[in-house]
Amino acid sequence: MIERKGVLGYLWIAYEYMAMVAGLGFLALICLLWLPFAMILRPLLPRRWGQPLGRFMIMAGFRTYLGFLRLCCACRFELSALDGLRHEGPLIVVANHPSLLDAVMILSRLPNAVCVMKAGLMDNILFGAAARLARYIRNDVPVNLILDAREELRRGAQLLIFPEGTRTSTFPVNPFLPTAAVIAGRTGTPLQALCIAFSSPYLGKGWPLFARPNLPLDISIRRGRRFAAQKDAGDLTAQLEQYFRTELAPSGGSTATGATMS
C-alpha cells in the first residue's frame, strides 16, 4: 500500500472519502432509475421477454457502474477472463466471495447469468424488483432453489453461486456449503471455478459500508479449474473447497488471493 504524507496525503484521504460517497451514490442512482420500470414490467411481460430484458439491464447497469468506478474512483478491474464464458452454454459458476462487488463484476460480463440470492436481498426495495424481473433465485427454500436452478440450467442459463454462502471472514475461504455440488449432481452440469483477487479488504466481511477505502483498488478475476458433476455432493464440495484454499493461499503459486495484496 502506498504511504502518502503531508498535504498530498490529506488531499488523497479526502479524495478517498469522496470516491466512496460517489461510488455508493452512483450505484443507488442506477438502481433507483431502473426500479419503477422493473416493478411495472415484472407482472406485464411474459417470462420469455421479461427475463432476458431483466438480465440485460442488470448486466448493462453493472457494467456502467464499474466504468464509473474506473473513471472516477481509482478502481482497476481485470475481468477479461469472464468474456470467454459467455457462449459456453449452461454452467454452474462458483467463486470465492471477498467483497460486495463480486456479483456485480461477474454479472456485468455474463448476459445470461442467474444469481442465487439471499432472500433478504430479493425482498430489498432497491434490488428486489430488478432481481425478480431477471428471475434470480431465492436461497431460503432449498427444495425450490434446486428445482429453480435445474429449470434455469435446462433453459441454457449460467448459474452463479458463492459456495461460502456469505462474504469471506476467514481467508482464504470460509467452509463451503454443498448447494453448488448438489445442483451439479442433480443436473449433470459442470462447475466453473473463478478466483477473485482484491488489493484491499474494502467492502469485505466486517468492513463498514461508509468506511474510507484504500485507493487505488485493484481487482482481478481469473478462470480456474472446471469440475465435472458428481453424484457424491460431499466429495465434490470438499474438492472445491480444497481447490480454492490452494489457489488463494498467500504462499501459493497463484497471484489471485482473497486477502490483501501488498
Side-chain angles (χ1 to χ4, degrees):
M1 188 180 299
I2 299 173
E3 184 178 356
R4 297 176 173 87
K5 298 180 180 180
V7 175
L8 289 178
Y10 288 114
L11 289 175
W12 186 257
I13 289 173
Y15 167 72
E16 289 176 327
Y17 276 113
M18 289 188 293
M20 178 268 294
V21 173
L24 294 175
F26 191 71
L27 178 59
L29 177 62
I30 290 174
C31 294
L32 286 171
L33 288 175
W34 179 235
L35 175 62
F37 297 100
M39 293 179 68
I40 293 170
L41 293 174
R42 173 65 173 87
L44 291 180
L45 292 181
R47 183 188 185 109
R48 67 180 183 276
W49 295 343
Q51 177 179 288
L53 174 63
R55 292 179 188 175
F56 174 81
M57 292 304 295
I58 288 175
M59 182 186 71
F62 283 167
R63 186 168 290 199
T64 300
Y65 174 59
L66 294 180
F68 177 83
L69 294 183
R70 283 191 185 98
L71 183 64
C72 301
C73 301
C75 294
R76 296 179 293 222
F77 302 95
E78 178 47 64
L79 309 178
S80 59
L82 296 173
D83 294 338
L85 297 177
R86 290 185 179 190
H87 306 295
E88 291 203 13
L91 284 173
I92 301 173
V93 178
V94 293
N96 58 309
H97 198 7
S99 166
L100 287 173
L101 289 175
D102 304 333
V104 172
M105 294 186 295
I106 296 170
L107 295 173
S108 76
R109 295 292 183 126
L110 302 181
N112 194 26
V114 56
C115 189
V116 175
M117 293 181 64
K118 289 183 177 180
L121 285 177
M122 290 286 284
D123 296 331
N124 183 281
I125 184 64
L126 197 59
F127 306 115
R132 290 191 293 272
L133 179 63
R135 266 55 174 204
Y136 286 176
I137 299 173
R138 300 172 66 97
N139 73 345
D140 54 345
V141 182
V143 173
N144 291 343
L145 190 165
I146 294 170
L147 292 176
D148 290 344
R150 183 173 64 183
E151 178 62 19
E152 289 295 339
L153 291 167
R154 187 188 67 80
R155 292 172 179 270
Q158 295 177 332
L159 188 70
L160 173 59
I161 298 180
F162 297 102
E164 295 170 85
T166 186
R167 283 170 290 162
T168 309
S169 57
T170 305
F171 288 97
V173 290
N174 299 330
F176 276 19
L177 300 175
T179 309
V182 170
I183 295 171
R186 297 288 181 88
T187 62
T189 307
L191 299 100
Q192 174 62 57
L194 297 178
C195 299
I196 303 175
F198 270 68
S199 63
S200 160
Y202 180 57
L203 294 181
K205 195 73 170 179
W207 187 284
L209 185 60
F210 294 102
R212 174 175 63 92
N214 298 313
L215 299 178
L217 180 63
D218 290 288
I219 311 169
S220 67
I221 300 180
R222 67 176 179 84
R223 291 172 63 173
R225 177 182 163 188
R226 185 165 298 183
F227 291 79
Q230 298 179 21
K231 293 299 182 181
D232 188 336
D235 183 58
L236 182 54
T237 300
Q239 290 181 43
L240 281 170
E241 182 178 332
Q242 184 56 50
Y243 173 79
F244 275 94
R245 288 190 181 279
T246 301
E247 291 295 305
L248 300 173
S251 59
S254 169
T255 59
T257 173
T260 303
M261 297 184 296
S262 57

